């Protein structure tokens, strides 16, 4: 019988989600959508010292913002919930207890100091580090002594001799010798479960069919398989594992804070569209089979297969992401572009959000749509239309106060004042014939001075369109004011 596809994204939000997490979530989502399966979102928050409610809320918000809607998980619910591991502690306790009764697991009373001492000895003797099995077969007497000493016990899984082999859907057959997979802790001394226990129990109980996750978790797989065995899970009911290649930084080291990794929250504030992030990340380690660089979410769900995930690491390239973001911005219908741009303008206090201001923004957006690669460029581009006490930026002042610029500005006033029709065409025609043809100036010089006078800055949307939007009176007032500087 073919198992229904159930894929999960299971972050431990110990900070804001980052590029690697999101690429995993995207592939999980795309695989579920491609197969008509179910996409589960599970929060792995058993490490209460590091996971906070704030990070959990941010993770939920980020996934929603990206459009990676889950079918089961926080806020949505589902048949196999709850989907926050902190709400499932009794389930893990039940299994840990069962494993002890079955003798698959045992209480270990070694103190952290003792473990460290023995690890040190292992290092010196050049043997593989890890738990040496000291508490595996304690007598009732020994246990009583340890308890009498007030020692706390952890629960440890017994790893039998031998090896674990499984087929990874991306890297093929993978084997781990158990001498490198020592007995591992399932439950801490305070009774809280560890990741390995919770993740394995949940993947089974939630009937997860495919575990697509980062390569960093490959080495935890034999431990999870050991938990499945102790749970008595039939081989056919093990999930299929697929470990996604690392995302590397430009320096070819794993992407990290050190070489450019930043949280998705940063990309959001910097004005990247979720569709651009998903488009770019989709192509990071996966290929649709051709060399296209633009892919929609719909196409991704149609084309995504695990077979096309590359097993070698992918390199993160910010320039490429920016180029894709620019493409996606250009492709936005005006109303959507407006909806994306407005929060950036209000946050930068360029507008307060009145209907009049929004109408001006709407008329101005088409002239900058071709020119920006990030939404956070919008405020600087449009602020000249809204500033109350207009002034030329300090760093541009010298470019309008020299004698040549003054000649340009004087002539511009002479030519523009009589215009009865104020459109970018009429403005351009007037300025071209006078400044370029008659005065013989280079466009960059001539229009540069007018641009600074009118917009206050060298960065602005196209000049003639800007002047049309600003209106004749304001444009002429600003040129006159610049002349008086
Ligand atoms: N919660 C784990 C982590 O964020 C991932 C769990 C998994 O995908 O197996 O590292």
């Amino acid at each position: 019988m073919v198992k229904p596809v159930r894929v999960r994204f299971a972050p431990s939000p110990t900070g804001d989600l980052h590029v690697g997490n999101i690429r995993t979530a995207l592939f999980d989502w795309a695989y579920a959508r491609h197969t008509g399966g179910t996409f589960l979102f599970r929060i792995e928050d058993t490490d209460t010292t590091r996971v906070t409610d704030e990070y959990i809320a941010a993770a939920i918000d980020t996934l929603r913002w990206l459009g990676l809607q889950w079918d089961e998980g926080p806020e949505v619910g589902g048949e196999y919930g709850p989907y926050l591991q902190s709400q499932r502690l009794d389930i893990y306790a039940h299994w840990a207890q069962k494993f002890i009764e079955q003798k698959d697991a045992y209480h270990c009373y070694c103190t952290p100091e003792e473990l460290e001492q023995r690890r040190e000895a292992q290092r010196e003797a050049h043997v593989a580090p890890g738990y040496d099995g000291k508490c595996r077969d304690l007598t009732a007497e020994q246990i009583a002594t340890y308890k009498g000493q007030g020692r706390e016990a952890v629960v440890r899984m017994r790893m039998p001799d031998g090896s674990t082999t499984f087929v990874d859907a991306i890297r093929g057959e993978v084997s781990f010798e158990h001498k490198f997979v020592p007995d591992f802790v399932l439950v801490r001394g305070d009774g809280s479960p560890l990741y390995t226990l919770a993740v394995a129990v949940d993947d089974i109980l939630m009937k997860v069919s495919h575990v697509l996750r980062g390569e960093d978790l490959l080495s935890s797989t034999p431990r999870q398989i050991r938990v499945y065995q102790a749970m008595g899970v039939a081989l056919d009911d093990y999930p299929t594992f697929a470990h996604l290649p690392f995302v590397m930084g430009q320096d070819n080291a794993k992407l990290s804070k050190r070489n450019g990794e930043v949280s998705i929250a940063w990309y959001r504030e910097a004005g990247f569209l979720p569709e651009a992030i998903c488009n770019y990340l989709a192509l990071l380690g996966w290929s649709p089979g051709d060399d296209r660089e633009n892919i929609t979410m719909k196409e991704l769900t149609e084309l995504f297969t695990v077979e096309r995930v590359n097993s070698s690491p992918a390199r993160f390239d910010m320039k490429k992401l920016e180029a894709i973001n620019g493409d996606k911005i250009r492709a936005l219908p005006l109303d959507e572009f407006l909806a994306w741009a407005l929060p950036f303008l209000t946050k930068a206090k360029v507008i307060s959000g009145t209907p009049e201001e929004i109408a001006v923004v709407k008329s101005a957006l088409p002239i900058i749509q071709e020119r920006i690669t990030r939404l956070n460029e919008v405020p600087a581009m449009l602020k000249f239309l809204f500033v109350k006490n207009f002034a030329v930026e300090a760093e541009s002042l010298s470019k309008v106060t020299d004698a040549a610029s003054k000649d340009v500005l004087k002539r511009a006033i002479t030519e523009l004042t009589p215009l009865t029709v104020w459109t970018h065409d009429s403005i351009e025609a007037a300025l071209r014939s006078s400044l370029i043809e008659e005065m013989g100036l280079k466009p960059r010089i001539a229009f540069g001075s007018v641009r600074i006078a009118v917009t206050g800055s060298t960065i602005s949307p196209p000049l003639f369109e800007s002047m049309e939007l600003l209106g004749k009176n304001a444009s002429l007032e600003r040129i006159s004011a610049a002349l008086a500087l």
Side-chain angles (χ1 to χ4, degrees):
M1 198 188 77
V2 182
K3 277 194 289 182
V5 170
R6 294 175 56 80
V7 200
R8 90 301 194 272
F9 173 55
S12 306
T14 53
D16 284 322
L17 297 184
H18 52 72
V19 168
N21 297 130
I22 294 308
R23 203 222 10 197
T24 301
L26 179 67
F27 285 17
D28 285 325
W29 174 86
Y31 187 63
R33 294 292 170 263
H34 177 75
T35 53
T38 304
F39 176 48
L40 289 82
F41 180 20
R42 183 175 72 223
I43 303 281
E44 308 217 315
D45 57 344
T46 53
D47 185 352
T48 47
T49 58
R50 295 177 64 219
V51 180
T52 65
D53 286 347
E54 203 185 330
Y55 289 139
I56 294 175
I60 293 173
D61 182 51
T62 297
L63 237 60
R64 280 207 198 289
W65 179 73
L66 288 164
L68 304 180
Q69 186 52 51
W70 52 100
D71 307 308
E72 290 178 26
E75 295 179 354
V76 169
E79 209 182 317
Y80 301 91
Y83 295 88
L84 258 74
Q85 289 189 329
S86 58
Q87 295 171 5
R88 303 171 61 79
L89 299 179
D90 49 339
I91 301 175
Y92 313 128
H94 159 83
W95 283 102
Q97 183 54 35
K98 194 158 178 333
F99 298 163
I100 293 169
E101 286 161 17
Q102 292 170 182
K103 304 226 178 313
D104 283 309
Y106 56 92
H107 282 115
C108 165
Y109 294 88
C110 298
T111 63
E113 295 74 33
E114 287 168 348
L115 292 172
E116 185 44 43
Q117 271 172 13
R118 270 143 53 204
R119 257 197 299 273
E120 190 52 47
Q122 286 170 330
R123 272 193 288 268
E124 275 168 24
H126 300 290
V127 296
Y131 190 66
D132 55 8
K134 183 160 188 283
C135 293
R136 270 188 164 196
D137 301 296
L138 296 178
T139 61
E141 253 178 0
Q142 284 171 311
I143 294 175
T145 310
Y146 284 147
K147 281 191 175 160
Q149 292 170 348
R151 292 186 183 222
E152 262 190 354
V154 301
V155 178
R156 235 178 238 286
M157 185 63 111
R158 197 185 291 269
M159 212 56 196
D161 291 343
S163 61
T164 297
T165 300
F166 62 95
V167 177
D168 184 283
I170 295 169
R171 30 209 83 233
E173 196 172 275
V174 187
S175 253
F176 287 90
E177 293 289 336
H178 290 184
K179 62 172 183 268
F180 300 114
V181 189
D183 292 359
F184 54 95
V185 178
L186 295 170
V187 181
R188 296 184 187 87
D190 65 3
S192 60
L194 268 103
Y195 159 72
T196 323
L197 172 64
V199 75
V201 165
D202 284 348
D203 283 342
I204 295 303
L205 297 186
M206 294 181 181
K207 297 207 169 10
V208 167
S209 65
H210 291 76
V211 171
L212 267 71
R213 61 181 178 186
E215 188 178 3
D216 48 327
L217 293 160
L218 182 67
S219 62
S220 74
T221 311
R223 289 191 278 271
Q224 280 151 243
I225 291 180
R226 175 71 186 101
V227 176
Y228 304 161
Q229 287 163 348
M231 289 174 84
V233 178
L235 214 56
D236 281 352
D237 292 330
Y238 287 13
T240 300
F241 288 93
H243 287 92
L244 306 169
F246 282 131
V247 179
M248 314 300 265
Q250 287 300 317
D251 57 358
N252 278 335
K254 184 176 175 238
L255 194 62
S256 68
K257 285 218 172 79
R258 196 183 45 73
N259 62 1
E261 170 81 291
V262 271
S263 70
I264 289 297
W266 180 86
Y267 290 92
R268 191 168 169 175
E269 274 172 32
F272 287 91
L273 293 169
E275 220 197 310
I277 295 175
C278 290
N279 181 150
Y280 177 65
L281 292 183
L283 302 176
L284 205 58
W286 170 80
S287 149
D290 52 38
D291 54 9
R292 80 180 87 182
E293 301 221 314
N294 245 291
I295 188 159
T296 63
M297 296 295 264
K298 186 163 171 289
E299 287 166 335
L300 175 63
T301 60
E302 282 161 9
L303 298 169
F304 187 85
T305 60
V306 175
E307 289 71 43
R308 287 204 175 279
V309 175
N310 202 324
S311 61
S312 43
R315 178 128 42 101
F316 186 77
D317 181 348
M318 185 65 124
K319 288 265 165 305
K320 244 190 181 151
L321 172 57
E322 280 184 341
I324 290 176
N325 202 50
D327 289 345
K328 300 279 182 197
I329 289 176
R330 281 188 282 284
L332 287 174
L334 182 55
D335 280 336
E336 279 182 42
F337 187 23
L338 180 67
W340 281 111
L342 287 176
F344 284 86
L345 288 160
T346 44
K347 188 162 175 235
K349 299 203 166 39
V350 168
I351 61 168
S352 58
T354 64
E356 295 75 29
E357 288 171 328
I358 294 174
V360 175
V361 172
K362 191 169 179 179
S363 58
L365 284 179
I367 65 172
I368 64 166
Q369 196 161 9
E370 293 289 323
R371 290 185 147 64
I372 59 168
T373 51
R374 295 180 184 187
L375 294 165
N376 67 352
E377 294 167 51
V378 173
M381 284 278 195
L382 297 191
K383 73 170 188 280
F384 77 96
L385 288 169
F386 298 98
V387 279
K388 299 273 174 318
N389 302 310
F390 176 81
V392 169
E393 279 175 3
E395 58 265 38
S396 303
L397 261 183
S398 64
K399 297 194 191 115
V400 276
T401 47
D402 59 298
S405 298
K406 289 205 182 289
D407 285 345
V408 167
L409 297 179
K410 263 187 222 144
R411 183 68 187 262
I413 294 177
T414 313
E415 298 298 326
L416 295 172
T417 306
L419 287 187
T420 48
V421 178
W422 189 258
T423 63
H424 60 274
D425 285 338
S426 66
I427 299 164
E428 179 169 5
L431 293 183
R432 267 194 199 284
S433 65
S434 54
L435 304 181
I436 310 297
E437 285 158 27
E438 290 171 25
M439 290 175 76
L441 295 168
K442 290 208 165 57
R444 197 174 50 84
I445 307 277
F447 299 146
S449 304
V450 181
R451 176 190 303 279
I452 293 169
V454 170
T455 68
S457 157
T458 48
I459 309 160
S460 82
L463 177 61
F464 311 118
E465 280 87 347
S466 299
M467 291 171 77
E468 178 184 332
L469 282 170
L470 191 63
K472 182 174 174 183
N473 284 347
S475 300
L476 285 170
E477 264 168 32
R478 288 185 188 185
I479 300 173
S480 304
L483 254 181
L485 287 170

